[in-house]
Amino acid sequence: MESETPRLFGTDGVHGVANSELTPELAYNLARAAGEGVDRHVVIGRDTRRSGPMLDAALAAGFNAVGVDTVDLGIVPAGAVSRLARDSGASLGVVVSASHNPAEDNGIKFFGADGAKITDERERMIEARYFSDESYARPVAGNVGIQTVMADAIDRYVDKVSKTVEYSMHGLEFVVDCANGAAFLAAPALFEKVGATVTIVANSPDGMNINDGVGATHPEFVAQQAKGKVGLAFDGDADRLIAVDEDGEIVNGDVIMAIFAAFQHERGKLKDDKVVVTVMSNLGFHQAMERLGVE
């Protein structure tokens, strides 16, 4: 019986201790496997981990080695990579981050041209190519890929997000915990642009303090800082949010989804009156949606 292809991808990308399990060699070869047959550029963004530039460079080298141009977005939220991959006409977006994990870990996550996470099937294709013994094409001269920098990546992303805000935020006060991670530049820029009054905390990354007692996995930190204001705590790559209300109570993801769903439902703007959740959503959320008549 033929053995299955070994697995690289977990539930959300490729993860491991940087330079031990997740090595530059792995990143380089993973990029070559993912880049084979790609006909447009790839955008790459990262969080603030010390190992980020090392893995970022290895990925860029791998893509360039198979003739794919790369665009360095710098330190940006995962959502910015998704958005800018789509807006710039990229074939792929790549995030170098281990999300809410400690600083010694890192990860590589892929988005498709549509800005969505790549499919399981595409992951398996990349894995099969990675473990294949077949050699890679080696383009030369003008066919070698090059790396450029999108210096205004954060400005582009913040501008895009701010245009979705329907109401003025003047007079609203927030405390925003950036987890010393990918949101540390984008979050202050966004809240300033929409007119909110914001105190920013955990926004002094040193490469090793990401998620260290702060951020979405430690909401008690922003709760202590909020003092009557609304607190928002991101994780390392800013794709996870835990909130704190004006009474200092921690508001989890299910409650946040319920608030948004109820708000959109009341306005008649909840598409098909449905909310898509994961199996982790609790019974209370399901009961709350039932009472609203939301599926």
Side-chain angles (χ1 to χ4, degrees):
M1 185 171 152
E2 193 176 331
S3 61
E4 288 186 9
T5 301
R7 297 307 312 261
L8 280 174
F9 289 89
T11 54
D12 197 22
V14 180
H15 288 86
V17 177
N19 215 28
S20 171
E21 298 162 339
L22 185 56
T23 62
E25 293 87 352
L26 189 157
Y28 173 78
N29 287 317
L30 184 63
R32 288 202 296 173
E36 196 169 66
V38 164
D39 58 357
R40 287 172 287 161
H41 67 276
V42 171
V43 298
I44 306 174
R46 59 185 174 87
D47 66 20
T48 56
R49 290 164 212 271
R50 186 179 179 90
S51 59
M54 173 185 73
L55 294 171
D56 190 319
L59 285 163
F63 282 117
N64 297 164
V66 293
V68 178
D69 292 342
T70 53
V71 179
D72 181 17
L73 304 180
I75 296 171
V76 293
V81 179
S82 167
R83 182 78 251 179
L84 294 172
R86 186 172 158 186
D87 287 356
S88 70
S91 286
L92 288 170
V94 186
V95 179
V96 180
S97 174
S99 192
H100 58 280
N101 290 349
E104 61 267 25
D105 293 344
N106 218 323
I108 299 168
K109 179 164 60 177
F110 292 90
F111 294 112
D114 59 354
K117 183 182 171 186
I118 63 171
T119 63
D120 293 345
E121 181 184 4
R122 191 164 185 184
E123 286 182 354
R124 285 192 290 272
M125 289 171 63
I126 293 170
E127 286 172 334
R129 186 64 184 98
Y130 177 93
F131 289 110
S132 166
D133 292 330
E134 187 181 340
S135 60
Y136 289 93
R138 290 188 175 273
V140 296
N143 293 319
V144 174
I146 60 168
Q147 167 130 315
T148 57
V149 175
M150 188 185 290
D152 63 344
I154 288 176
D155 292 337
R156 289 195 201 189
Y157 179 57
V158 165
D159 186 56
K160 198 73 162 184
V161 174
S162 66
K163 285 177 178 173
T164 69
V165 179
E166 297 180 35
Y167 306 102
S168 169
M169 289 197 174
H170 289 281
L172 297 178
E173 294 185 283
F174 299 89
V175 175
V176 178
D177 176 355
C178 297
N180 292 315
F184 93 101
L185 293 171
L190 175 62
F191 280 91
E192 182 180 327
K193 193 172 181 75
V194 298
T197 300
V198 186
T199 301
I200 304 291
V201 296
N203 66 325
S204 301
D206 62 10
M208 295 304 297
N209 62 356
I210 187 171
N211 301 318
D212 187 7
V214 294
T217 52
H218 298 279
E220 67 281 358
F221 175 75
V222 77
Q224 291 164 2
Q225 309 291 318
K227 297 175 182 173
K229 301 172 185 174
V230 172
L232 303 173
F234 294 104
D235 69 343
D237 64 347
D239 69 354
R240 178 179 305 204
L241 172 74
I242 297 293
V244 174
D245 68 18
E246 66 275 16
D247 298 318
E249 295 294 320
I250 292 169
V251 182
N252 66 30
D254 281 338
V255 177
I256 293 172
M257 279 196 298
I259 291 169
F260 285 139
F263 178 64
Q264 293 293 75
H265 173 70
E266 287 163 9
R267 301 164 77 211
K269 289 192 173 185
L270 186 62
K271 187 176 178 181
D272 298 328
D273 271 333
K274 289 182 182 177
V275 181
V276 181
V277 299
T278 73
V279 293
M280 300 298 289
S281 288
N282 65 38
L283 180 62
F285 176 82
H286 287 271
Q287 290 174 337
M289 293 303 99
E290 249 178 59
R291 286 196 296 272
L292 284 174
V294 171
E295 187 180 344

